[in-house]
Amino acid sequence: MPDQSPRGETPPRPPRASLRTSVVWEVVKDALDRRVKATGTDTLDVLDTGGGSGSFAVPVAQLGHRVTVVDPSPNALFALERRAAEAGVADRVQGVQGDVHGLFDVVEREAFDVVLCHGVLEYVDDPGEGVRNAVDALRPAGAISLLAAGLGGAVIARAIAGHFAEARRALTDPAGRWGDGDPVPRRFTAEQLTELCGEAGVEVGAVHGVRVFADLVPGVLVDTEPGALDALLKLEAAAAELSAFHSVASQLHVLGEKRA
């Protein structure tokens, strides 16, 4: 039988049940379970900054937690409202227009048990300030989940595609960009992300490489080979915590705890 959520419900499958989110979802779910045990309450206050249409927020709410999503896009927040309603958790999900730099214009400091900051640091003007604000939104000993674009994965992807000059440019560019047409403003190494966390008062518990293999495997193989998707998911999970693979991951995930 599957594990039960704090409210006795069967937890949802990983958001979109995809290679892009499954590793992070399992880590986040475990972090939520640990905070439930540490706080002695079944219902946590969770902040999802940059949470968009709720690919994480809605499954978190389905576990019985209260989720506040802060996102600058009205369209994303409208989609969030619709998704939450369809999932039956509209009463546990609140969408607020804003961003991580102006976070405390829309939420209170030290008001949350867990903060998710996924796909945000690549796009903000000051990643350090972004992390500090996310941490300041946490109660003492609260958990933070950071997900950002990884430098190594982009370099490998450009090289495999035959764009060797772009791969070299990404490798040497301070922001990790492969050219003027690169849609990602900034990429990180694991060391850079953990340094940002340390400077913001976070005790880093784990670093994960996300999409280590998924972006390199032909989609037709995953779609047509029986059992390939499940096997690739298991491979991604096995490699995620191994530091040897952090430098080649498309994304990097850091899980930490606010120092008391």
Side-chain angles (χ1 to χ4, degrees):
M1 293 292 291
D3 293 337
Q4 299 294 303
S5 75
R7 295 184 183 273
E9 303 166 351
T10 299
R13 291 176 61 81
R16 299 177 62 184
S18 73
L19 289 164
R20 292 179 177 270
T21 56
S22 60
V23 168
V24 178
W25 170 249
E26 292 303 323
V27 174
V28 167
K29 184 180 177 300
D30 287 346
L32 290 166
D33 291 344
R34 288 195 297 272
R35 291 309 300 157
V36 164
K37 293 177 181 177
T39 59
T41 178
D42 287 344
T43 303
L44 301 174
D45 292 307
V46 180
L47 172 64
D48 188 354
T49 178
S53 62
S55 59
F56 275 81
V58 169
V60 168
Q62 287 178 296
L63 293 175
H65 305 301
R66 292 182 293 265
V67 188
T68 299
V69 176
V70 175
D71 196 278
S73 168
N75 290 337
L77 294 174
F78 178 78
L80 166 71
E81 183 178 353
R82 184 175 63 246
R83 177 181 282 186
E86 291 173 351
V89 294
D91 60 328
R92 296 201 290 272
V93 177
Q94 177 188 17
V96 182
Q97 190 171 1
D99 59 36
V100 74
H101 280 323
L103 190 59
F104 301 113
D105 293 333
V106 293
V107 302
E108 297 296 323
R109 294 179 185 270
E110 296 195 347
F112 299 94
D113 302 291
V114 177
V115 170
L116 311 181
C117 185
H118 296 171
V120 172
L121 300 182
E122 301 96 321
Y123 300 97
V124 298
D125 293 333
D126 186 343
E129 181 187 0
V131 177
R132 288 192 298 273
N133 284 351
V135 174
D136 286 347
L138 282 170
R139 293 168 179 146
I144 184 168
S145 171
L146 294 174
L147 181 67
L151 171 62
V155 173
I156 290 175
R158 300 315 289 174
I160 288 178
H163 304 300
F164 305 122
E166 291 180 349
R168 186 175 183 276
R169 178 169 174 176
L171 189 62
T172 57
D173 184 73
R177 304 186 76 233
W178 48 257
D180 294 338
D182 192 338
V184 179
R186 187 182 294 104
R187 294 184 177 88
F188 300 88
T189 65
E191 291 76 17
Q192 288 172 332
L193 279 182
T194 55
E195 183 177 350
L196 286 175
C197 287
E199 292 172 348
V202 172
E203 189 69 37
V204 173
V207 179
H208 306 91
V210 180
R211 291 159 51 199
V212 174
F213 307 104
D215 291 354
L216 305 178
V217 176
V220 64
L221 173 63
V222 177
D223 294 336
T224 60
E225 186 71 21
L229 176 59
D230 185 59
L232 185 52
L233 283 168
K234 291 178 179 177
L235 177 61
E236 289 280 355
E241 291 192 47
L242 300 179
S243 59
F245 293 100
H246 294 168
S247 60
V248 297
S250 294
Q251 291 180 305
L252 293 165
H253 179 249
V254 176
L255 183 70
E257 183 176 293
K258 181 178 182 177
R259 298 191 188 106

